[in-house]
Structure formats: C-alpha cells, structure tokens
C-alpha cells in the first residue's frame, strides 16, 4: 500500500510556506503522490507503522515500544502565529516519520543542509509514536501571558507541588512543550526528536565552511527560532513478547495494575490497549476544554534507583517493599500476576501480609479513592555519577545514574498522580531506594485529524 | 537442545567456593544437568545465543548487535589470587548469561539478596557477547607492580599518547579492566554488566532493613572487593538488516572499510565476520605473548559530535568531509559503497576529488602504510549538556551530549589506531564537528576454552 502518510500535503505546504513545493520522497526513493489518501487497514499495516492521526494521540494507549526519547522544550517564539506554524509543520513531519519515511524534499539541493539528517535512511517505521504535550509555560511564564493563552490554561494543568524527598535538578525538570518519542529502534526515536528539534531551533548557522549559507529547510527556519531543547532523556525496556509486563531495574514487573489492560492472551503486538477503563482514568472528557477532550495529562518523573543498594537487599525484603512476589508478579497474598490484592489478609501475628507502607498498597486504586493512572514507564541508564545516598547505608561514591523514567497518563493529575504520589512520597518503603531528580507536567491535546494539527483547537 | 552452557560447572564450582553447590536453574526454571556438554551447531543455535567459548573472544568478529554497554573498572584486589578468582567466576557467569540464562542458585534463599537482579528474567540470549580486556593499570599503576604482572605487560599495550584536540574527561577515560557487553536488547546488555560488577564490588551492605545481612552470592563477595566500576557508557545502532553497514549520527555509513568484511550478500545475522584479512589486522599472532595470541587490542574513544552544527552544514560539504556520498556510501570518485577509492582522481581544476584532508583519505590503508583496524563503533545519546564548541561558529549553550563510542580492534595499536589517528587528529576536516572526551586502551586476551578462564595464560 501507499506510504503516503496523509491526504492533505498541499494544505500543509500552504501553511508552511513554499519550502516543500517539491514532491517528498519516501525512504525507498519513490515519489509520494500528492493528494493520495492513506488508509491503514489496522495498527500493524505498513510494516510496523502506528497511525499518527486519530481520535487520541498515539503513544498513550499504544502498547509500549522498547525505546523512549523524551524531549522537553522551552518556547522562544515571538508570536502565537510563529508557534502555530511550528505545530503545523511538526504535525506534517511527525506523520511522515511515523509512516517510516524521511523528511526531505525531492530536489535534494546539495549546496544546502539536508532537510533530514538521514540517520535512519532505509529503516522502517519501527512502531514510532510521537506524543505532543503543552506545559504550563505555554500559557504563562514568569508572570507573562506571552501568547495570549493564559485564560485557556486548563485547571487540571496544575504546577506540580513539591513532594516529600524531591531532589529535582533543573536539567531534567519543567518545559513549555514536550515530545515523547517511542519506537522499537532507539535510532528511530532519536532521529525523530532531532528532526523536530532542528525544525524548531534558531537557525544561526551562517556556515562559513565551503562558503555555504544554511538554506531553507522543511518547516519553520526563521530566526530566532520557535523552541529550543530544554532536556532530553533516553529510556529502554527489555524486549518482552507482546502482552507480557516488562520488568524494571529492580527486577519486578511494572504496570500490572494499568487501567484498560486487556487480557494478556488477547493483546497483540502493535494493537492499541483496549478502551475498557481508559475513558474513566486516562482520557479527558467533557469536563475539559474542547482541545483536551480525548487528550490526557502526562506526568514525567526521572527517578534514580539505588541499584547497588537494592542488589544487596534480601529477596523477602524486596518483596515486602513491593507487596508482590518478584518472579511471578503475584500479590504476597497469593495467586498470579493478575490476581487481585487482598489488602485485608493478615499473618499469624496479625500483621498485614501486604504491608501498610508497601508500594502496591499505597498505589492501589482502592486506597486512593479509586484513582488510577496509566503507567508507561521506561528504564534509563546514564552511566555513573558521584552520588551521596540519603538513606542508610548512606553510600557515597560512584553509583549507577540509572533508574526509571516514570511516565504516567491520566484524566486529571489532581486526582491522578498527585493524589497517589503525595502519600507515596511520604510513606512508601521503596523511597529508601529511589530519588526523584526530574519532573514535569504536560497537557497532551486530543488526537489529530487529517488536515488538522497538534492542539489546533487551542488556537481557535 | 540443552541450555547448559558449559561442561565443567563442577570444576568452576570448586574454584568458586561452595556458594554454587546447588544446581543452577535456567530461566525456564529447568535444572541444568551437571556435566552436560554444550555443543552449539552454529552461531545461531539456541535461540540467538553467540557461543562464549572459542578460539577468539566473542564480540570482536561478531556482527554488531544493536546495543552496547561498555564498562571500565578499577581493580582494587588485594592479591593476584583474588583477581584470578574473580576472572574465573566472571567466566562462569558470562557463559551462563551468553546462553540466555540467569545467574542464580536453585535454592533461592529469600532471606538473602538474590544472586541475580532478574531484570531480564524470561528473555532469550539476545546475541549477548561479553568481551574482556586488561588495561595498563593491571600491570602497573602509580609506579607499583600490584599483582606481580609488570614484566608481562605486552609492548603493544602502550599508554595512548595525547592526540591533537583531545579534551578527555576522567569520567570517561582509562581503566584497569573492561567489559564490552553487546546485545540486541539494551536491557540484556546492561543486566550482564550489572551482574558482573556486582560480583566484583565491595560488599559492604550490612543491610539493616528487615535485619537481613547480605549473604553469599555467586562468586567473589569477600570484602573489600576486587574491582569497582570506573565508567559506564551505553551505545546503540539503528537496526539495519544483517550485512548492511549502519549509519552514524552524521547520517553516513560507518565501517565500510572494515577488514574481514565478507560480501554483504553472504553475511547472515549472527554469523561471524569472515576471517579473510582479520588475521593480519585484528588477531595477535606469534609476535605476542601466549595469552594474547588470538586476542586483540581494543581502543575506545568517546567522541562528541556537534549535531546541531552538522545539521546546518550543506550536503556537499558534508560529503567533502567524508570523501563519500551520503546516501549510497560510495566514494566521491564514483561507484557504490564497496567501490575502491580513487585517491588520484582530480577535478577540472586539478584538485583531488577526494580531498587531502577528507576523513576517508586520511583513514585509508593505502595512506597509512597498510594500517587497518576493525571498527565496531556505536552511537550514543546522553541527553543535553552545556557545551562551548572549539570551532566556528563557536556555539555555546545546551547541545546534544551525543556522538560516537568508537571501538576499534587491532593487532597492534602502535601500527593501528595510533598510527592512523595521529595524522587524523591533526588534519581531518571532520574534527570541526567532533571532540574526543573519553579514551582507553585494553588488551583483550585470546578466546577462552571450556574449563579455562579469561586471561588464564597470563597468570601461569
């Protein structure tokens, strides 16, 4: 079938200026036919492509890919219209890349910088999803309503409070915009972020080498740019078969309690997670502004895990902390991974089998007035770092700068992550082994219709 | 076929002490049968396992996997015999993990720390290779012959000179020991490094939580440990089909000129690179000590690449720098990727078509007295960093902390990497876009026979 990812390229070209008047080439070098309608038969059509357009943004209910590149941006646009042009061009480029194509014009003028870095030339889509979110700074920053949007800030897009134990580093915190890139190939995810960041960046390269000036690129290249990267974080998951809950760096299964999780026997690679309870827990409904209906709020936390300390901790204590068995993932009260917790069960001494300060009890919907969030976390491994732990045995020295990029989607963070984590941050036994070093919150707008663009309804 | 990875477990158990007297379990939970001989029929037997034992260490001629975790260690052993015990136990654990199994005893005493972190429980071998190397500090450090090995230091294991432009950071430089872990799953590679580091580390965890003391683990756990992590670096490659040369973050193919490269049409996933010219270029011969014969010298360089700058550079200048076409990988003098360079060709003005200071000319065997090295490089992406570039346009600010983990194997670094890079570091046009921030050299001993251990002949 056609690789042409959208039916309205001409419309986009109009919005983007003339830089793309030449036909786009697919990776295979075939010219895509303008005006052709892409009609994917299923999530798995087109060699592992996840549809970019739809009711919801991809990358939320999509079963997790094995690699993450999370990018947070500062917006530096001088006007709302510049920002809108970027979002239109990002939409176009994201759809092209999700279909497995490169973002490059057919003319390939060798005296200009390539429109696309070409680092994944010849690769397939790799189940790439690009999920866009708006941070508080889009609406108001340093007390300024930079883009005339302050009145449109949703009540649910709160500033996250300071939680107990937070040791947030500015280098991994905040942002006015985010893009979550996920793919089954780390190079594909990074390529996409790099391409989108390049389109948004100031273009100050009066490149003297060879006497070449930086030329027009796809989309927005006017100085001084629209957005610059603020922080960037890679993540990964072990490549388990579809439907199996992946293990985190503590060796435990992570995500068993996710809402909307279909029967593992039914899930198939690339198939969207069933909508069972997602409507209640994840998708914004009529209570939100139109541009957020069908969208979701993203909370990201960079959580360092004291792996050396953990590896010297007894298995039964590890399991007490989680409240689950390590190998099976089943509750300490018995059964398999998906057996419900029995929070009332006590041992011979009358103590709860699943401890009061265990991770699973503190996170359970039943102890949080029914609050549920969709976890979409990745492990990260950034090498070593000099670290002074804040818990016994108070290790100091080179330790793993590794842990969890916790990503959670929810309908309302006030009754989602904040509700759940406020108590966890105070009482969870696991805190002895974790330190939150990064944090941000974003409003991920509803899905994008063909011909539309990211967050279009916010700007009407 | 059997998952039991070696025939001599009892012998290893003897060397390791009694901690492993209980039978090992495979990931599937089946007890491995002591004394069984593993006899892989081919590189691809056993679900993607690369044989650990053999004439050469795996991970050198092995076609590149998609993920790298490179670990450098400082040795802190108090005696040569402690070090030897670690190498014996590392050998045992590496063979188990390369076969796709976890390193854990069958009894699984819950009151002790798990022997294996279990982060990849249930996953296959993922083509895991573990390649071990000895750095200069094993033989002599701070003027001290700590382990009675100074006289055995090979002449070829030189200290790398300071090269033009080096901006080496101690956090990514040097080391007494290294392990290169490569796999098609990033979690599998990190799991292996973490396991081996855990076995070597000081065990000071008098873990007060739950009143548990850290118990016996597989292999060496006596205080104060044998080796500690010095630096750790992840890397990745785009997942190209077997036989295709991967592209680096500049978007160019990387490794076209590798020695021993078979016809791309012949290479198959998991199949060892043909031995054609490897004997000359890569494997140490009779000129080296017995323990290095069939081994190779590893040079690793962490090379930051100015991606933002590169992305604003004209395509024809990018190609002039490389001396090759970006899309095809063919020389600027014509032909496809594997067409030989024509270094004598000139353009209408009499200038060389492949410039004097182009990367490919300066790296070519024919301009280096025939010197060749086996490149086994990975891209890396460590997020963003405040950077002041040392070339025009002298950018300062947040840039990608991303680039290349250059790994090269060679028979003799004096006539390999040092010979080639000394000139490149001065003249290569690409230096305008690259900065070397990490560096180390290691002697990777010959392959390990069943019943032997890493570098055994060094200690006889």
């Amino acid at each position: 079938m056609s690789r042409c990812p959208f039916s309205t390229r001409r419309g986009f070209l109009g919005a983007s200026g003339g830089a793309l008047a030449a036909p786009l080439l697919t990776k295979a070098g075939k010219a895509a036919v303008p005006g052709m309608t892409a009609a994917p038969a299923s999530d798995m059509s087109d060699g592992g492509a996840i549809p970019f357009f739809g009711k919801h943004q991809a990358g939320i209910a999509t079963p997790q890919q094995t690699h993450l590149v999370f990018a947070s941006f500062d917006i530096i646009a001088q006007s709302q219209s510049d920002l809108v042009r970027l979002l239109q061009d990002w939409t176009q480029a994201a759809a092209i890349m999700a279909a497995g194509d490169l973002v490059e014009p057919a003319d390939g003028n060798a005296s200009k910088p390539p429109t696309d870095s070409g680092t994944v030339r010849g690769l397939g889509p790799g189940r790439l999803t690009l999920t866009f979110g708006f941070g508080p700074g889009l609406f108001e920053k340093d007390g300024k309503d930079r883009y005339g949007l302050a009145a449109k800030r949703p009540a649910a897009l709160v500033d996250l409070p300071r939680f107990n134990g937070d040791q947030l580093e500015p280098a991994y915190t905040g942002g006015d915009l985010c893009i979550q890139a996920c793919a089954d190939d780390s190079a594909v995810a990074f390529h996409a972020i790099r391409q989108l960041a390049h389109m948004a960046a100031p273009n100050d390269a009066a490149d003297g080498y060879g006497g070449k000036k930086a030329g027009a690129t796809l989309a927005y290249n006017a100085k001084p740019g629209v957005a610059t990267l603020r922080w960037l974080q890679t993540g990964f998951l072990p490549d388990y078969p579809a439907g199996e809950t992946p293990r985190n760096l503590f060796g435990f299964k992570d995500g068993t309690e996710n809402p909307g999780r279909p029967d593992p026997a039914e899930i198939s690679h690339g198939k969207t997670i069933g909508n069972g309870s997602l409507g209640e827990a994840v998708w914004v409904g009529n209570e939100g502004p139109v541009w957020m209906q069908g969208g979701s709020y993203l909370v990201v936390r960079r959580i360092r895990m004291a792996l050396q300390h953990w590896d010297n901790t007894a298995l039964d204590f590890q399991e007490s902390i989680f409240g689950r068995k390590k190998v099976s993932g089943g509750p300490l009260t018995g059964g398999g991974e998906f057996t419900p917790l029995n929070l009332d069960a006590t041992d011979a001494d009358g103590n709860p089998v699943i401890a009061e300060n265990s991770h699973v009890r503190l996170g359970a919907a039943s102890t949080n007035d029914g609050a549920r969030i969709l976890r979409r976390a990745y492990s990260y491994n950034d090498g070593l770092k000099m670290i002074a732990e804040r818990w016994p045995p108070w290790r100091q020295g080179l330790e793993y700068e590794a842990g969890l990029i916790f990503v959670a989607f929810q309908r309302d963070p006030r009754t989602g992550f904040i509700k759940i984590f406020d108590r966890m941050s105070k009482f969870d036994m696991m805190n002895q082994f974790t330190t939150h070093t990064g944090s941000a919150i974003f409003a991920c707008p509803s899905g994008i219709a063909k011909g539309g663009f990211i967050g279009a309804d916010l700007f009407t």
Side-chain angles (χ1 to χ4, degrees), chain A residues 16 35 37-38 67 103 128 155 175 186 200 215 226 231 239 246 251 253 266 296 313 315 337 422 435 449:
Chain A
S16 308
T37 302
H67 289 88
V103 179
L128 174 68
S186 44
V226 178
W231 55 275
D239 189 14
K253 296 187 176 195
E266 290 177 15
S296 192
T313 299
L315 174 61
E337 181 187 353
D422 178 62
T435 303

Side-chain angles (χ1 to χ4, degrees), chain A residues 100-361:
Chain A
D101 292 322
L102 296 178
V103 179
E104 59 178 6
D107 63 353
N109 187 333
S111 67
K112 293 181 178 175
T115 305
D116 190 299
S117 64
T119 55
V120 294
R121 183 181 299 280
L123 289 182
R127 296 182 66 235
L128 174 68
T129 56
L130 294 160
T131 313
F132 296 84
F134 298 146
L138 171 64
F139 301 91
E140 189 174 343
K141 197 165 192 175
D142 302 330
K144 291 182 189 164
D145 181 5
R146 296 183 294 168
Y147 307 111
L149 297 171
K152 296 189 175 181
R153 179 172 173 171
L157 185 62
V158 295
D159 293 310
L160 290 175
R162 187 188 185 285
F163 294 102
N164 192 56
D166 271 4
Q167 297 193 359
L168 304 184
E169 302 171 14
Y172 297 100
T173 298
D176 301 333
L177 274 177
C178 80
I179 308 174
Q180 174 200 255
C182 298
D184 285 335
D185 185 320
S186 44
V188 167
F190 184 36
H191 168 268
I193 292 293
R194 176 176 170 187
Q195 178 66 33
L196 298 172
H198 176 63
M199 291 164 60
N203 193 341
D204 58 356
D207 186 349
Y209 312 113
K212 303 299 186 305
K213 280 262 182 188
T217 58
L218 171 69
Y220 200 76
N221 71 335
K223 301 175 185 180
V226 178
T228 57
L229 281 167
R230 178 185 175 90
W231 55 275
L232 188 75
Q233 178 66 55
T234 62
F236 65 95
L237 283 180
D239 189 14
Y240 282 104
E244 265 190 49
T245 311
R247 291 177 187 275
N248 62 23
L249 292 180
F250 283 158
F252 281 75
K253 296 187 176 195
D254 197 337
T256 298
E257 292 281 350
N258 267 346
R261 199 182 199 293
D263 185 318
E266 290 177 15
I267 205 168
S268 69
H269 203 56
K271 191 173 173 185
T272 297
I273 292 172
N275 259 327
S277 54
L278 286 183
E280 286 302 313
V282 175
W283 304 130
V284 175
N286 293 336
E287 77 279 10
V290 169
W291 62 274
M292 276 301 292
Q293 291 175 17
S296 192
Y297 292 91
L298 183 165
V299 172
V300 56
R301 305 280 290 183
R302 183 172 184 265
I303 306 173
R304 193 174 63 237
M305 291 157 65
L307 302 185
Q308 286 99 328
H309 184 185
W310 186 258
D311 287 344
N312 286 320
T313 299
L315 174 61
D316 54 10
F317 188 50
Q318 292 185 2
E319 294 182 336
S320 292
I321 290 169
F322 269 89
R324 290 185 175 276
K325 302 295 283 184
K326 190 170 189 180
V327 172
S328 70
L332 291 186
T333 43
E337 181 187 353
F338 298 102
T339 302
L341 309 173
N342 180 352
L343 296 177
D344 300 325
T346 53
D347 64 14
D349 299 326
N351 295 315
V353 176
I354 295 175
E356 293 293 348
N357 50 359
S358 65
H359 189 70
V360 72
R361 180 188 290 270

